[in-house]
Amino acid sequence: WMNTVLPYSLYAAALGKGESVSAASALAGATPVFTAGLAMLVLKLPRVHRGTERGAAQEWRGLLLGLSGVFLIVFRRGSWSQGSFEGLGLQLMGVLLKASAACLTQAKNSRKQRASPLLQALVQALSGAGLAVLLSLSLDATGRTPHWLDPMELVDGKGYGFLQRVSRWQWLCLLCLSLLGSCLVYLLQFFLLARVGAVRQSLMDQL
C-alpha cells in the first residue's frame, strides 16, 4: 500500500488539486534524497566518515543542500505558476510514503529470516490490488468519486459506464502497462532492495 496504491493516488490527487506537472516531477524525482534522509534517521546506515561528528555533519549538510535545491525548483516562478500548497502537501506525502516503504523493506531484509524478493513483490501486488478494488467499488461504482481524484470526470457519476467507451487498443495498452510498468518493474525493485538497499534502489527507480 505504501509503495503503490497510496502514493500514486496521492500523486493523482495532487494534480487534481492544481499542482503543476513540473513541480510534481521535481518532487517525485527527489525521492532518493528523501529516502536517504529517512535511512540516516531510521536505519542508522554506516557513514562515510565513521565515528566522526564532522563526517555526520557533512552528510546532513549535503542532504539539506539537496532538499533546498529541490524546493527551489518547485517554487520557481515557472513551476509554481498557479500552484497549490494543498497539492504540494499531497505530493510530498506520496513521496514520503514511497521512501518509507523502501526503508521498511530494507529493515526487514536485514533480518536473518526474510522473505524472498518474489514473495515480497507478490504480497505487494495482491494487497495493493485488493485496496484498489475496494476503493474503486466504494467510490467509482457508486458514483461518489471526488473531483480531485477524477479531474477529467471519466466516471461522471455513472459508475463503471466509462468502461464501455474503452477501445481494444486502450485495453492492450493497459495490459502492457500492468505487465511491464508494474509487474516486472516491482519485481526488479524488490531484487534491488535485497541487493543494494533503499537509497540506491530509489535512485535506480528514478533513473
Side-chain angles (χ1 to χ4, degrees), residues 52-189:
T52 65
E53 294 183 1
R54 180 182 178 186
Q58 287 177 346
E59 292 183 0
W60 278 111
R61 281 198 294 269
L63 184 65
L64 292 175
L65 183 62
L67 288 175
S68 300
V70 171
F71 283 104
L72 280 176
I73 294 174
V74 169
F75 287 109
R76 67 182 179 180
R77 183 174 300 178
S79 297
W80 192 246
S81 176
Q82 299 179 349
S84 163
F85 281 103
E86 190 175 4
L88 178 66
L90 292 172
Q91 176 80 21
L92 189 57
M93 285 175 58
V95 170
L96 290 175
L97 280 172
K98 284 191 71 69
S100 300
C103 291
L104 287 173
T105 303
Q106 181 174 342
K108 292 288 185 180
N109 288 339
S110 64
R111 299 178 180 179
K112 292 183 179 180
Q113 295 181 346
R114 64 182 185 185
S116 68
L118 183 60
L119 179 60
Q120 290 176 345
L122 179 62
V123 170
Q124 174 191 265
L126 292 177
S127 60
L131 179 61
V133 169
L134 180 62
L135 289 173
S136 181
L137 289 174
S138 60
L139 296 176
D140 296 338
T142 59
R144 299 176 181 176
T145 307
H147 176 73
W148 51 275
L149 276 179
D150 183 26
M152 298 182 66
E153 298 183 351
L154 296 175
V155 178
D156 196 23
K158 299 178 182 179
Y160 290 126
F162 68 94
L163 292 176
Q164 299 176 0
R165 303 190 298 270
V166 180
S167 65
R168 293 181 180 179
W169 175 249
Q170 290 171 324
W171 280 116
L172 180 60
C173 291
L174 181 61
L175 179 62
C176 291
L177 181 62
S178 301
L179 293 177
L180 302 179
S182 296
C183 181
L184 182 60
V185 166
Y186 284 111
L187 182 60
L188 293 174
Q189 179 189 40

